[in-house]
């Protein structure tokens, strides 16, 4: 039996995928499997290949994330990019 999967030294690949509300992929970042999810947020957002429309009060752009992204650093980054 090998190491427990939550060990920090695990090998492999982690893919952070950003999709629209319909599940269509918009951005992708790839790192080693031992990288924390929330540390990949900036590079995932910046990987979107098309220019995003500017969010406005009338047309805000939301971001839904799982518990792994519940961090003050991520909230500040999302505000920087104009997400709600």
């Amino acid at each position: 039996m090998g190491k427990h999967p939550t060990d920090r030294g695990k090998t492999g690949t982690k893919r952070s995928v950003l999709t629209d509300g319909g599940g269509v992929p918009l951005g992708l970042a790839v790192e080693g499997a031992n990288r924390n999810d929330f540390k990949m947020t900036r590079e995932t957002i910046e990987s979107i290949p098309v220019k995003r429309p500017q969010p406005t009060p009338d047309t805000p752009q939301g971001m839904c994330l799982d518990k792994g992204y519940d961090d003050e650093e991520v909230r500040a980054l999302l505000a920087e990019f104009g997400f709600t």
Side-chain angles (χ1 to χ4, degrees):
M1 193 155 128
K3 289 183 174 183
H4 191 275
T6 59
D7 287 343
R8 296 288 182 226
K10 63 185 171 183
T11 60
T13 304
K14 180 172 285 188
R15 291 169 294 278
S16 175
V17 181
L18 176 67
T19 66
D20 69 6
V24 176
L26 300 176
L28 171 71
V30 179
E31 286 282 347
N34 60 343
R35 180 80 176 203
N36 287 338
D37 291 344
F38 79 91
K39 293 290 187 181
M40 297 174 67
T41 307
R42 178 179 292 279
E43 56 195 302
T44 304
I45 294 170
E46 289 177 344
S47 74
I48 300 171
V50 295
K51 185 171 168 60
R52 281 178 51 224
Q54 193 67 20
T56 67
D58 292 335
T59 58
Q61 294 179 14
M63 177 71 76
C64 297
L65 301 167
D66 67 20
K67 190 68 172 169
Y69 294 87
D70 188 16
D71 186 85
E72 191 57 43
E73 181 180 326
V74 174
R75 284 187 282 280
L77 181 66
L78 294 177
E80 176 186 330
F81 280 95
F83 287 105
T84 57

